[in-house]
Amino acid sequence: MYRTHTCGELRLANQGTTLTLAGWVQTVRKFGAITFVDLRDRYGITQLLFGESLQAQLDAQPLGREFVLQVSGVVQERSNKNPGLPTGEIELVVQSFVILNASAVPPFTIQDDTDGGDDLRMKYRFLDLRRNAVKKNLELRYAVNRSVRNYLHENAFMDIETPFLIKSTPEGARDFVVPSRMNPGQFYALPQSPQTFKQLLMVSGYDRYYQIVKCFRDEDLRADRQPEFTQIDCEMCFVEQEDILNMFEGLVKRVFKDVKNIEYSEAVQRMTWEDAMWQYGNDKPDIRFGMKLSNLKSAFRKSGQLLATGELINGAGFGVFDNAETVLAIAVPGCAEYSRKQTDELTDWVKRPQIGMQGLVFIKCNADGTYKSSVDKFYAEERLKAIADSAGAVAGDLVLILAGREEKTRKALSDLRLEMGKRLGLRKDNEFKLLWVLDFPLFEYAEEENRWVARHHPFTSPKPDQIDTMINNNPVIEQAAEYLAHPYANIKANAYDMVLNGNEIGGGSIRIFQRPLQEKMFAALGMTPEEYNHKFGFLLGAFEYGAPPHGGIAFGFDRLCSILGGSESIRDFIAVMLDAPSTIDAKQFDELQIQLNLKP
Ligand code: ASP
């Protein structure tokens, strides 16, 4: 037996016991004739005391960091206790030891504040994983996994595996492909998600399915994207949107309870996609704080206040506003006292290439009721007040205004809002706010191809009362510039996203389950019957054999874990990073009958 106890479990009660530990050497401290060693394993750290009688053996076999050690000895009370350590009241007086394996000097120290940079830590991930900080992340991931499985099991969901080597049907992201040796010239794809499989399982009558499953998308890497990532993938039969919302907010609340001991008792807020876009500038609003966007142009148009003077809308005033497609504002609480330096810095912030705005206009709503602005020379003070009022500002606020093309301005102000929220400490790590975003558009318009694309995916159903609009209209867009006037532009999807603290953590939809509507959808996306029968004939065929109404959702498991763990990067919550891709042998190419033809 290599060990009788772990390095995390010994307490005063074990005093006098003779036992054996095994683990890694964290530190070695020599004081004259005695040597202290901190021995570490997954469960903790125990101090070892090597007395005088062992010094000769230690000199002959010096211990280094990360050596693997087996020690036997007696537990004794420590004279110099360490209250910061669960085992800090005791130490093991070593009677004998064996070096099970030596270690090269590690390239960084195995402790919470390590001196290894990101690249080094990723290269030696197996050492990085010995660090407590990383281990905690993986423990959290496992806790989320258990909680999810328990909840879904209690609610009659069945975990059913689906294949990884599938037919390529790219829609949305790019597929990873795998050559088939047995069928030269043919390729499998790795699934972007088990979407069509889970729908087939519904047709088969497995009315509550789930899987914690790897998905593969050949996308460019970002901190929050990985080519392979894990989803909590779920599907249910005989459900409407409301059933899904209830079931899965239950799931997330259960995870909060099990993993963070947070009682999320309030109902999860709901918001339409349109409100999210207008009020927060994006479809995954962080609702931990307000600071909503105001549309100054339409506000003034409605009230006519400034329009009548011609100042804000029709020339005569500040040219940038007059000529802009849109003018949007946020009122930042308590920042009216910003110095020139601070407002200049914010202006630079919006001018950075990532944001790309030309400039930033501000109005300070001073506590004494006066107004001060970067566009003072264009507007009298009462006009500034009117603008600030329509941005919902009160005394003490700093109104920040951006103008330009609608989409870009909205995105920029949304980013600025999040930045100000962060700077003002309004986006607290330990506060969790869930939100359902509903009523997404079913289609988006792809300008380059002059056709519709599915905003979620092609299996998403329109709202029940809009099915007729979809069936009865020709999807072809005659006038590209007027696509917004096409009836398809207004069709809403029976789809929902779950948002946590400004991150989309899950999304899904009620599905199309009848062949004619599914065919209409494929046609709307520009596919010919030959194309959709070739790619999705299996699903269309299955819909002819008693497909029940169904719907589902998938959560991004890695991201959910990273948010619960208070980290920005999902990589911190994934165990192993591989040194891949790489080239393959000539023999492998030969077997696959593939010849490389790399473009220079
Ligand atoms: N399969 C979808 C996705 O990966 C989620 C769903 O609709 O259930 O986004």
Side-chain angles (χ1 to χ4, degrees):
M1 194 180 0
Y2 275 110
R3 57 179 173 186
T4 55
H5 292 75
T6 71
C7 296
E9 67 176 301
L10 300 178
R11 302 287 184 272
L12 262 188
N14 302 96
Q15 225 184 136
T17 320
T18 302
L19 48 81
T20 306
L21 298 179
W24 287 262
V25 172
Q26 174 88 18
T27 55
V28 182
R29 302 181 305 277
K30 199 166 159 47
F31 293 102
I34 55 170
T35 301
F36 290 107
V37 168
D38 280 349
L39 193 69
R40 183 193 67 236
D41 67 10
R42 189 184 131 196
Y43 307 93
I45 285 181
T46 298
Q47 174 165 298
L48 312 177
L49 190 158
F50 293 75
E52 206 165 347
S53 59
L54 291 168
Q55 295 309 308
Q57 194 187 342
L58 274 182
D59 288 343
Q61 300 174 291
L63 300 176
R65 281 196 285 142
E66 302 310 312
F67 275 45
V68 187
L69 201 61
Q70 184 190 35
V71 288
S72 295
V74 184
V75 180
Q76 80 170 12
E77 184 170 3
R78 249 158 98 161
S79 54
N80 199 356
K81 297 201 169 70
N82 178 355
L85 211 60
T87 60
E89 291 193 301
I90 55 93
E91 62 197 354
L92 190 75
V93 181
V94 179
Q95 291 168 334
S96 64
F97 72 93
V98 181
I99 295 176
L100 297 174
N101 211 344
S103 167
V105 177
F108 50 86
T109 50
I110 310 298
Q111 58 195 30
D112 281 6
D113 304 315
T114 180
D115 47 3
D118 262 9
D119 291 348
L120 202 58
R121 290 198 294 107
M122 286 304 147
K123 180 165 175 210
Y124 294 93
R125 183 67 161 171
F126 60 94
L127 291 178
D128 195 34
L129 290 170
R130 288 186 190 163
R131 295 169 54 232
N132 210 20
V134 187
K135 189 184 73 192
K136 279 207 177 106
N137 292 345
L138 291 191
E139 283 171 351
L140 180 134
R141 186 180 173 106
Y142 180 50
V144 177
N145 186 313
R146 273 188 341 258
S147 172
V148 165
R149 288 186 188 281
N150 287 341
Y151 177 86
L152 292 174
H153 178 73
E154 286 159 25
N155 283 285
F157 284 79
M158 246 171 104
D159 178 348
I160 305 176
E161 286 159 88
T162 52
F164 275 174
L165 292 175
I166 68 167
K167 182 175 165 144
S168 180
T169 54
E171 256 302 314
R174 209 174 284 120
D175 279 342
F176 276 109
V177 293
V178 181
S180 163
R181 181 183 56 83
M182 302 283 283
N183 305 279
Q186 295 195 25
F187 292 80
Y188 299 100
L190 301 179
Q192 298 189 19
S193 82
Q195 184 60 37
T196 48
F197 297 119
K198 64 177 174 175
Q199 291 192 243
L200 289 175
L201 286 171
M202 293 304 111
V203 181
S204 307
Y206 294 89
D207 62 348
R208 290 181 174 204
Y209 142 96
Y210 87 100
Q211 212 181 162
I212 298 185
V213 64
K214 274 284 169 76
C215 300
F216 307 86
R217 294 181 193 173
D218 188 1
E219 291 179 301
D220 298 341
L221 293 188
R222 280 191 259 139
D224 63 343
R225 290 271 157 92
Q226 291 287 322
E228 53 176 295
F229 58 95
T230 307
Q231 282 190 344
I232 306 165
D233 190 46
C234 309
E235 195 78 6
M236 302 170 81
C237 275
F238 305 120
V239 284
E240 292 170 341
Q241 174 171 293
E242 193 60 35
D243 303 308
I244 301 258
L245 301 191
N246 289 329
M247 177 63 73
F248 291 100
E249 61 185 70
L251 170 71
V252 178
K253 286 177 176 180
R254 170 69 170 269
V255 171
F256 279 162
K257 177 74 194 128
D258 288 350
V259 178
K260 305 287 288 185
N261 201 20
I262 291 173
E263 208 69 66
Y264 199 106
S265 43
E266 66 202 87
V268 172
Q269 276 191 52
R270 299 177 182 193
M271 192 182 292
T272 65
W273 173 83
E274 212 150 310
D275 283 349
M277 294 305 286
W278 279 116
Q279 296 176 8
Y280 296 90
N282 70 64
D283 59 6
K284 43 181 185 335
D286 185 344
I287 54 165
R288 281 173 296 181
F289 66 106
M291 225 190 274
K292 291 183 190 168
L293 277 57
S294 317
N295 183 342
L296 294 186
K297 271 215 155 164
S298 66
F300 284 109
R301 249 188 210 124
K302 242 181 260 150
S303 71
Q305 271 175 304
L306 293 188
L307 192 59
T309 70
E311 276 182 325
L312 191 61
I313 304 289
N314 293 329
F318 179 43
V320 172
F321 286 176
D322 302 336
N323 304 323
E325 189 176 280
T326 196
V327 182
L328 299 174
I330 50 172
V332 185
C335 291
E337 283 168 15
Y338 263 28
S339 64
R340 175 70 191 266
K341 192 165 160 234
Q342 284 172 298
T343 52
D344 282 354
E345 191 271 327
L346 283 181
T347 306
D348 290 344
W349 195 90
V350 302
K351 283 183 173 172
R352 293 176 321 148
Q354 302 96 301
I355 308 289
M357 297 304 288
Q358 303 278 327
L360 174 72
V361 170
F362 64 83
I363 302 173
K364 294 175 174 176
C365 311
N366 297 320
D368 62 4
T370 60
Y371 292 83
K372 194 95 197 85
S373 167
S374 51
V375 289
D376 277 347
K377 60 173 179 274
F378 299 104
Y379 300 106
E381 198 165 348
E382 71 265 25
R383 296 292 173 237
L384 292 178
K385 175 175 169 12
I387 299 171
D389 284 351
S390 56
V394 296
D397 286 1
L398 175 70
V399 181
L400 299 176
I401 307 173
L402 291 176
R405 294 301 302 265
E406 184 162 315
E407 221 179 289
K408 186 170 174 185
T409 308
R410 220 198 273 201
K411 163 99 181 42
L413 195 59
S414 156
D415 288 348
L416 183 60
R417 172 184 173 271
L418 291 172
E419 175 68 17
M420 294 313 291
K422 191 162 103 194
R423 291 186 188 191
L424 297 179
L426 303 172
R427 305 177 69 190
K428 299 188 195 83
D429 269 354
N430 57 1
E431 188 185 4
F432 295 99
K433 275 272 187 213
L434 290 165
L435 173 74
W436 284 114
V437 178
L438 306 172
D439 302 348
F440 289 85
L442 185 63
F443 295 106
E444 266 169 6
Y445 174 62
E447 213 174 314
E448 326 76 62
E449 299 160 77
N450 187 36
R451 67 168 182 103
W452 300 109
V453 290
R455 197 177 186 288
H456 188 47
H457 54 53
F459 314 106
T460 295
S461 152
K463 290 276 174 209
D465 59 357
Q466 286 179 306
I467 291 178
D468 286 348
T469 311
M470 191 162 147
I471 295 276
N472 298 332
N473 283 287
N474 181 349
V476 172
I477 308 157
E478 303 286 358
Q479 292 286 336
E482 282 162 29
Y483 76 93
L484 275 176
H486 192 286
Y488 274 33
N490 289 319
I491 299 180
K492 296 276 187 264
N494 217 346
Y496 29 79
D497 273 1
M498 187 180 259
V499 175
L500 173 57
N501 292 359
N503 302 276
E504 183 202 321
I505 56 163
S509 59
I510 299 297
R511 324 297 185 189
I512 296 170
F513 67 103
Q514 283 149 329
R515 181 166 185 142
L517 186 59
Q518 188 64 68
E519 286 186 336
K520 185 83 186 181
M521 171 57 99
F522 289 140
L525 304 178
M527 286 186 226
T528 62
E530 292 71 40
E531 277 175 313
Y532 61 66
N533 280 314
H534 172 70
K535 284 185 179 174
F536 299 110
F538 63 97
L539 188 69
L540 291 168
F543 281 180
E544 290 182 45
Y545 291 89
H550 60 284
I553 191 165
F555 289 90
F557 183 59
D558 310 289
R559 189 170 308 173
L560 178 61
C561 295
S562 79
I563 300 170
L564 292 172
S567 162
E568 301 255 305
S569 168
I570 64 171
R571 278 180 220 182
D572 293 349
F573 292 80
I574 299 173
V576 182
M577 305 288 160
L578 290 179
D579 192 11
S582 66
T583 53
I584 57 171
D585 295 344
K587 179 162 174 272
Q588 289 172 294
F589 278 118
D590 235 32
E591 284 171 349
L592 296 168
Q593 302 188 43
I594 287 179
Q595 217 168 10
L596 278 188
N597 181 18
L598 296 178
K599 301 257 153 53

